[in-house]
Amino acid sequence: MYQTQPTEGEPLIAPSTTDHPLYDNVVEACRTVYDPEIPVNIFDLGLIYTIAIDDTNAVRILMTLTAPGCPVAGEMPGWVADAVNAIPGVRQVDVDMVFQPPWGMEMMSDEARLELGFI
């Protein structure tokens, strides 16, 4: 499923549920998934835009790719879902691919920039 353009006044990237008890575990699960073309995990690359976890422990992840033509575009959401589904207590996982806003190198963590030699 692809996200449509946000309406005026909405943030380009929806906030994550950082205060949920499962949030840190979901982040760590996302860090086990790597873009096969870049030796950095997808969370630190900035490809995970939103991690939303509801009261029933259902997880919805909005993610993007470094480029829409990425050769693993069809597979990567499944890799993320499999990694997060393995967390005890997670009821279900939905991963949606979005391309707005487009990914940019400024979305990478400092660790990812350092690993790739950008800083």
Side-chain angles (χ1 to χ4, degrees), residues 46-102:
L47 299 182
I48 302 294
Y49 283 175
T50 303
I51 297 171
I53 310 168
D54 70 16
D55 293 339
T56 68
N57 294 346
V59 179
R60 181 170 184 237
I61 295 174
L62 298 180
M63 67 171 293
T64 195
L65 302 169
T66 55
C70 177
V72 294
E75 298 171 56
M76 198 174 293
W79 299 343
V80 173
D82 289 346
V84 174
N85 262 323
I87 299 169
V90 168
R91 185 174 63 84
Q92 79 176 57
V93 180
D94 293 309
V95 180
D96 292 324
M97 190 70 66
V98 298
F99 294 102
Q100 291 298 322

Side-chain angles (χ1 to χ4, degrees), residues 44-46 66 102-110 112-113 116 118:
D44 289 331
L45 271 178
T66 55
W103 178 84
M105 288 181 31
E106 70 281 357
M107 295 174 169
M108 288 190 288
S109 70
D110 288 341
R113 290 178 206 199
L116 293 173
F118 294 129

